[in-house]
Amino acid sequence: MSVIAEENVRGIGGSVFKEISADNDEDNQPTEIESLCMNCYQNGMTRILLTKIPFFKEVIISSFTCPNCSWSNTEIQSAGRIQDQGIAYTLKVKSKQDMNREVVKADSATTRIPELDFEIPPYTQKGSLSTIEGLIDRAVAGLEQDQQLRNATAPEVAVKIDEFIDKLKKLKEGVFTLVIDDPSGNSFVENPFAPQKDEALSVSHYKRTPQQDAQLGIKAEDEEEKPSNDIDCMRNEVLTFNTNCPECNAPASTNMKLVQIPHFKEVIIMATNCDDCGHRTNEVKSGGATEELGTKITLHLTDVSDMSRDLLKSETCSILIPELEFELGMAAVGGKFTTLEGLLKDIKDLIMAGEMDVHVVLDDPAGNSYLQNVYAPDPDPEMTTEKYTRTFEQNEDLGLNDMKTEGYQE
């Protein structure tokens, strides 16, 4: 549609859409608008018809011709909005009658003929109101357009295109499948048996992808769903807040991120860096509540690769190596998310040299510690995990004995 005609059609009112018909209805004649030719920049004539296609919807059909340069252009636009869902038509073309089916192809539609591995991508053609035979003729015309130039510059390519054009022309006498997939939902393939079902035509609706929404201008491609709450914010980004360095008390910043550990749970990782004294700390806290049962994880170290297992030690976890008579109480070191080697850096040389066959025990009455199972989701033959009921003393250490969870408002 030319520029001037497009501006004028916006003012045409609502109840002028009449069903398309072959009858010479004076009330259903196209509107003629003098408009600028985009080829020679002289005045031509645009004819606009607002019509309704049976069993489909209202459309705007426009046709432009220029008497000065003989340039012409036809196009169709939906008169409605983008539909809530995309639509895909699959038609098995078997006869000449099928070739005469009416087709509305929006510019956002993809046209495919699987038997020829042929596809017309979206937005490479203007919207059109045609027949299936007309779609094939238009595709042939598009391929033939630059054949003269190809014969001169790339004759091998021109020969292959000629061969493919012959295959497209032979479709008119054969059997093939036509697929029209339009994410806007505004394309249409005629069902001549409507309102009865057409056995040769299948129609499916689908939810658009974010990329398709972006192409249709509904929303930006990189627009993400807004987090529904503060927890969602923490999952999607690193939070930074101001604090003071625990060493020099200078202003510093702490980064905090909520991380999901596979086969375990969510934890909060916090890291503080001081630009003044260079002090760095990192700490891990459980992202959930105290578990109903305590957890005791026992790993038998049999290979150097065990030292690279991921490990989460909560602030309530104690560590025991029976072979070394080594025990680290739960209050000695804060929460850490590291590897086994990182946790045992003071004794790693002894263990990695193979001088001792040792076990590492993580005992966490709060149930918020974790040691990676390298065989997950299958059991680890060198590791055992026990759930146990806490003692009164352990509940006392965790402050659970005095915690009132029922009737606290009384």
PDB file of all heavy atoms in Angstrom, residues 282-298:
ATOM      1  N   ASN A 282      34.023 -15.021  52.727  1.00  0.00           N
ATOM      2  CA  ASN A 282      32.834 -15.574  52.094  1.00  0.00           C
ATOM      3  C   ASN A 282      32.146 -16.500  53.074  1.00  0.00           C
ATOM      4  O   ASN A 282      32.791 -17.154  53.892  1.00  0.00           O
ATOM      5  CB  ASN A 282      33.174 -16.301  50.795  1.00  0.00           C
ATOM      6  CG  ASN A 282      34.045 -17.517  51.025  1.00  0.00           C
ATOM      7  OD1 ASN A 282      33.562 -18.554  51.448  1.00  0.00           O
ATOM      8  ND2 ASN A 282      35.342 -17.389  50.751  1.00  0.00           N
ATOM      9  N   GLU A 283      30.854 -16.509  53.014  1.00  0.00           N
ATOM     10  CA  GLU A 283      30.068 -17.255  53.983  1.00  0.00           C
ATOM     11  C   GLU A 283      28.829 -17.802  53.306  1.00  0.00           C
ATOM     12  O   GLU A 283      28.287 -17.194  52.372  1.00  0.00           O
ATOM     13  CB  GLU A 283      29.670 -16.337  55.147  1.00  0.00           C
ATOM     14  CG  GLU A 283      29.034 -17.048  56.314  1.00  0.00           C
ATOM     15  CD  GLU A 283      28.775 -16.111  57.479  1.00  0.00           C
ATOM     16  OE1 GLU A 283      29.189 -14.935  57.398  1.00  0.00           O
ATOM     17  OE2 GLU A 283      28.153 -16.550  58.461  1.00  0.00           O
ATOM     18  N   VAL A 284      28.411 -18.972  53.735  1.00  0.00           N
ATOM     19  CA  VAL A 284      27.229 -19.618  53.181  1.00  0.00           C
ATOM     20  C   VAL A 284      26.219 -19.845  54.293  1.00  0.00           C
ATOM     21  O   VAL A 284      26.572 -20.321  55.370  1.00  0.00           O
ATOM     22  CB  VAL A 284      27.584 -20.972  52.521  1.00  0.00           C
ATOM     23  CG1 VAL A 284      26.319 -21.664  52.039  1.00  0.00           C
ATOM     24  CG2 VAL A 284      28.536 -20.756  51.364  1.00  0.00           C
ATOM     25  N   LYS A 285      24.970 -19.501  54.009  1.00  0.00           N
ATOM     26  CA  LYS A 285      23.896 -19.753  54.964  1.00  0.00           C
ATOM     27  C   LYS A 285      22.796 -20.524  54.257  1.00  0.00           C
ATOM     28  O   LYS A 285      22.592 -20.382  53.054  1.00  0.00           O
ATOM     29  CB  LYS A 285      23.339 -18.439  55.526  1.00  0.00           C
ATOM     30  CG  LYS A 285      24.345 -17.682  56.396  1.00  0.00           C
ATOM     31  CD  LYS A 285      23.706 -16.492  57.051  1.00  0.00           C
ATOM     32  CE  LYS A 285      24.682 -15.768  57.954  1.00  0.00           C
ATOM     33  NZ  LYS A 285      25.070 -16.610  59.112  1.00  0.00           N
ATOM     34  N   SER A 286      22.101 -21.340  55.016  1.00  0.00           N
ATOM     35  CA  SER A 286      21.002 -22.109  54.453  1.00  0.00           C
ATOM     36  C   SER A 286      19.890 -21.183  53.992  1.00  0.00           C
ATOM     37  O   SER A 286      19.552 -20.211  54.673  1.00  0.00           O
ATOM     38  CB  SER A 286      20.469 -23.098  55.491  1.00  0.00           C
ATOM     39  OG  SER A 286      19.277 -23.708  55.024  1.00  0.00           O
ATOM     40  N   GLY A 287      19.332 -21.510  52.829  1.00  0.00           N
ATOM     41  CA  GLY A 287      18.220 -20.708  52.319  1.00  0.00           C
ATOM     42  C   GLY A 287      16.881 -21.170  52.852  1.00  0.00           C
ATOM     43  O   GLY A 287      15.847 -20.598  52.520  1.00  0.00           O
ATOM     44  N   GLY A 288      16.884 -22.229  53.678  1.00  0.00           N
ATOM     45  CA  GLY A 288      15.629 -22.754  54.206  1.00  0.00           C
ATOM     46  C   GLY A 288      15.641 -22.839  55.717  1.00  0.00           C
ATOM     47  O   GLY A 288      16.550 -22.350  56.390  1.00  0.00           O
ATOM     48  N   ALA A 289      14.652 -23.512  56.244  1.00  0.00           N
ATOM     49  CA  ALA A 289      14.505 -23.638  57.703  1.00  0.00           C
ATOM     50  C   ALA A 289      15.354 -24.793  58.210  1.00  0.00           C
ATOM     51  O   ALA A 289      15.906 -25.580  57.450  1.00  0.00           O
ATOM     52  CB  ALA A 289      13.039 -23.869  58.044  1.00  0.00           C
ATOM     53  N   THR A 290      15.457 -24.892  59.534  1.00  0.00           N
ATOM     54  CA  THR A 290      16.114 -26.039  60.157  1.00  0.00           C
ATOM     55  C   THR A 290      15.310 -27.296  59.851  1.00  0.00           C
ATOM     56  O   THR A 290      14.088 -27.320  60.017  1.00  0.00           O
ATOM     57  CB  THR A 290      16.212 -25.823  61.672  1.00  0.00           C
ATOM     58  OG1 THR A 290      16.976 -24.651  61.934  1.00  0.00           O
ATOM     59  CG2 THR A 290      16.869 -27.020  62.349  1.00  0.00           C
ATOM     60  N   GLU A 291      16.004 -28.344  59.390  1.00  0.00           N
ATOM     61  CA  GLU A 291      15.327 -29.576  59.019  1.00  0.00           C
ATOM     62  C   GLU A 291      14.783 -30.286  60.264  1.00  0.00           C
ATOM     63  O   GLU A 291      15.267 -30.099  61.387  1.00  0.00           O
ATOM     64  CB  GLU A 291      16.292 -30.509  58.279  1.00  0.00           C
ATOM     65  CG  GLU A 291      16.789 -29.958  56.949  1.00  0.00           C
ATOM     66  CD  GLU A 291      15.687 -29.871  55.919  1.00  0.00           C
ATOM     67  OE1 GLU A 291      14.850 -30.788  55.878  1.00  0.00           O
ATOM     68  OE2 GLU A 291      15.661 -28.873  55.168  1.00  0.00           O
ATOM     69  N   GLU A 292      13.794 -31.141  60.026  1.00  0.00           N
ATOM     70  CA  GLU A 292      13.184 -31.880  61.139  1.00  0.00           C
ATOM     71  C   GLU A 292      14.182 -32.846  61.765  1.00  0.00           C
ATOM     72  O   GLU A 292      14.172 -33.062  62.972  1.00  0.00           O
ATOM     73  CB  GLU A 292      11.958 -32.635  60.645  1.00  0.00           C
ATOM     74  CG  GLU A 292      11.202 -33.367  61.736  1.00  0.00           C
ATOM     75  CD  GLU A 292       9.953 -34.055  61.215  1.00  0.00           C
ATOM     76  OE1 GLU A 292       9.611 -33.828  60.036  1.00  0.00           O
ATOM     77  OE2 GLU A 292       9.330 -34.807  61.986  1.00  0.00           O
ATOM     78  N   LEU A 293      15.064 -33.443  60.934  1.00  0.00           N
ATOM     79  CA  LEU A 293      16.069 -34.384  61.409  1.00  0.00           C
ATOM     80  C   LEU A 293      17.469 -33.858  61.117  1.00  0.00           C
ATOM     81  O   LEU A 293      17.682 -33.128  60.141  1.00  0.00           O
ATOM     82  CB  LEU A 293      15.890 -35.755  60.740  1.00  0.00           C
ATOM     83  CG  LEU A 293      14.570 -36.485  60.993  1.00  0.00           C
ATOM     84  CD1 LEU A 293      14.498 -37.750  60.159  1.00  0.00           C
ATOM     85  CD2 LEU A 293      14.402 -36.809  62.479  1.00  0.00           C
ATOM     86  N   GLY A 294      18.442 -34.223  61.952  1.00  0.00           N
ATOM     87  CA  GLY A 294      19.824 -33.897  61.674  1.00  0.00           C
ATOM     88  C   GLY A 294      20.367 -34.780  60.559  1.00  0.00           C
ATOM     89  O   GLY A 294      19.770 -35.791  60.187  1.00  0.00           O
ATOM     90  N   THR A 295      21.523 -34.395  59.997  1.00  0.00           N
ATOM     91  CA  THR A 295      22.132 -35.147  58.901  1.00  0.00           C
ATOM     92  C   THR A 295      23.582 -35.470  59.249  1.00  0.00           C
ATOM     93  O   THR A 295      24.336 -34.589  59.688  1.00  0.00           O
ATOM     94  CB  THR A 295      22.100 -34.342  57.580  1.00  0.00           C
ATOM     95  OG1 THR A 295      20.747 -34.049  57.240  1.00  0.00           O
ATOM     96  CG2 THR A 295      22.743 -35.126  56.445  1.00  0.00           C
ATOM     97  N   LYS A 296      23.965 -36.716  59.007  1.00  0.00           N
ATOM     98  CA  LYS A 296      25.349 -37.142  59.212  1.00  0.00           C
ATOM     99  C   LYS A 296      25.837 -37.790  57.915  1.00  0.00           C
ATOM    100  O   LYS A 296      25.296 -38.809  57.488  1.00  0.00           O
ATOM    101  CB  LYS A 296      25.454 -38.126  60.372  1.00  0.00           C
ATOM    102  CG  LYS A 296      26.878 -38.536  60.711  1.00  0.00           C
ATOM    103  CD  LYS A 296      26.884 -39.464  61.929  1.00  0.00           C
ATOM    104  CE  LYS A 296      28.299 -39.849  62.313  1.00  0.00           C
ATOM    105  NZ  LYS A 296      28.324 -40.739  63.508  1.00  0.00           N
ATOM    106  N   ILE A 297      26.824 -37.190  57.282  1.00  0.00           N
ATOM    107  CA  ILE A 297      27.355 -37.675  56.007  1.00  0.00           C
ATOM    108  C   ILE A 297      28.758 -38.209  56.255  1.00  0.00           C
ATOM    109  O   ILE A 297      29.625 -37.500  56.773  1.00  0.00           O
ATOM    110  CB  ILE A 297      27.392 -36.549  54.956  1.00  0.00           C
ATOM    111  CG1 ILE A 297      26.004 -35.922  54.780  1.00  0.00           C
ATOM    112  CG2 ILE A 297      27.900 -37.080  53.618  1.00  0.00           C
ATOM    113  CD1 ILE A 297      26.001 -34.679  53.917  1.00  0.00           C
ATOM    114  N   THR A 298      28.987 -39.452  55.866  1.00  0.00           N
ATOM    115  CA  THR A 298      30.297 -40.074  56.030  1.00  0.00           C
ATOM    116  C   THR A 298      30.834 -40.476  54.666  1.00  0.00           C
ATOM    117  O   THR A 298      30.188 -41.246  53.939  1.00  0.00           O
ATOM    118  CB  THR A 298      30.215 -41.315  56.934  1.00  0.00           C
ATOM    119  OG1 THR A 298      29.659 -40.952  58.193  1.00  0.00           O
ATOM    120  CG2 THR A 298      31.588 -41.937  57.148  1.00  0.00           C
TER     121      THR A 298
END
